[in-house]
Amino acid sequence: AGTDHGRPRRVISEEEEIDRRCLFEKKQVTLVERYQSEIEAECVKEVDDDAPDLWRRHVMKYGDLEACNLTLEERNKLEAFTQKRQEILRRRVREEIEAKLEEHDLVFQPS
């Protein structure tokens, strides 16, 4: 039998493992719900601060691409950045949530 820091490792039943996982997942969900909007807001600000000037001038001022008098080239650039922005935001939010879970020791470790 393996040891856990010098102590014998306790073997748990499948039912105990399921209960342990459910409790763990509830803690994860609670933490994510608690920090989700804060993390999203921080990530949006971070990404928008690094946005191209054209995007900041038009999209942040008018709210979308349709309200702007844009050339086809500008519209294409803005549409490309808008898509890239969504990808960056998804990745950054996921990374920050994972970091928050690690910070609170809520990364699942199978038994």
Side-chain angles (χ1 to χ4, degrees), residues 15-61:
E15 185 177 335
E16 288 174 314
E17 177 66 17
I18 291 169
D19 289 345
R20 178 178 168 265
R21 185 179 292 246
C22 285
L23 178 60
F24 191 83
E25 288 173 357
K26 284 179 186 177
K27 288 179 181 179
Q28 282 181 322
V29 167
T30 300
L31 183 88
V32 169
E33 287 173 347
R34 181 173 160 197
Y35 290 104
Q36 181 85 28
S37 60
E38 176 185 324
I39 288 171
E40 286 176 355
E42 288 173 6
C43 291
V44 164
K45 181 177 180 347
E46 176 186 314
V47 172
D48 289 353
D49 285 350
D50 290 337
D53 288 338
L54 177 66
W55 190 87
R56 282 200 307 266
R57 277 195 320 268
H58 289 277
V59 175
M60 294 180 81
K61 183 174 181 180

Side-chain angles (χ1 to χ4, degrees), residues 68-80:
C68 307
N69 291 327
L70 298 170
T71 66
L72 182 58
E73 180 182 353
E74 288 173 327
R75 182 177 299 278
N76 288 339
K77 285 180 182 178
L78 290 178
E79 287 174 355

